[in-house]
Amino acid sequence: MSKLKTDLSKFNNDWYKPGKNLIYRVMWYTINLCFFRSPFPFYGPKRFLLRLFGAKIGKGLVIKPHVSIKYPWRLVIGDHVWIGEEVWIDNLAKVTLKSHSCISQGALLLCGNHNYKKTSFDLLVGEITLEEGSWAGAKTVICPGVRLGSNSLLTVGSVATASIEANWIYQGNPAKKLKEREIKH
């Protein structure tokens, strides 16, 4: 049995289309750096800029400083969504944050990965959805193709490599079902 090895010189993602031309992307990268990845604290201008660059955003978005968003034209946000400091939304595919969902500090939403089984290390992409009332805790990682069910909780530092069920708390790497989430008044 021959042992094949990764050969990054064979990597080719020509099939992937970011959705906008290079000039548009450079304009967004500059805006992202100046207003989102910076300590700029004001929500209103951030909402305006996201909409200007194609994001669909409901009312009441709270978006803290030092957030990085790859492609706002692939971002759909419902009402009263919270995005904490140092969140990275690497949305090579569509990311949907439904109403009342929360992404805490330092969380990573990663729509892209690589096929480690191929010598060419092919790019893989998948959409991410946070259903209504779901919560991605601080320093969590959400992988391509994952859906957090309504009112679910991914605890601090956990990694969601597969979708998680509504109304449950998940913990660990990879995240495992821990217990039912109880919400009280």
Side-chain angles (χ1 to χ4, degrees), residues 4-15:
L4 294 176
K5 296 180 180 179
T6 300
D7 183 354
L8 296 179
S9 70
K10 301 216 185 291
F11 178 76
N12 180 341
N13 69 341
D14 287 347
W15 64 269

Side-chain angles (χ1 to χ4, degrees), residues 11-126:
F11 178 76
N12 180 341
N13 69 341
D14 287 347
W15 64 269
Y16 179 75
K17 306 295 180 227
K20 299 291 181 185
N21 67 42
L22 180 61
I23 293 169
Y24 196 86
R25 292 193 316 266
V26 169
M27 287 188 323
W28 169 250
Y29 295 152
T30 303
I31 295 291
N32 191 35
L33 186 63
C34 294
F35 293 96
F36 291 85
R37 295 185 67 184
S38 73
F40 187 78
F42 305 107
Y43 308 145
K46 290 179 186 179
R47 292 180 200 133
F48 170 78
L49 290 167
L50 285 170
R51 286 184 182 112
L52 184 67
F53 279 85
K56 293 175 177 61
I57 299 177
K59 61 185 176 189
L61 170 64
V62 171
I63 183 165
K64 296 291 188 166
H66 304 288
V67 170
S68 184
I69 298 168
K70 173 99 35 156
Y71 299 136
W73 48 92
R74 292 197 168 152
L75 186 59
V76 177
I77 299 176
D79 296 334
H80 305 289
V81 171
W82 291 358
I83 301 175
E85 292 90 352
E86 298 183 10
V87 166
W88 180 20
I89 301 175
D90 190 28
N91 56 334
L92 295 172
K94 182 178 177 184
V95 168
T96 303
L97 309 174
K98 294 194 177 175
S99 295
H100 307 285
S101 59
C102 177
I103 307 170
S104 290
Q105 302 87 338
L108 303 175
L109 279 66
L110 305 173
C111 290
N113 203 345
H114 294 278
N115 188 343
Y116 65 89
K117 294 179 182 180
K118 298 269 195 151
T119 60
S120 55
F121 212 52
D122 295 349
L123 178 65
L124 303 170
V125 296

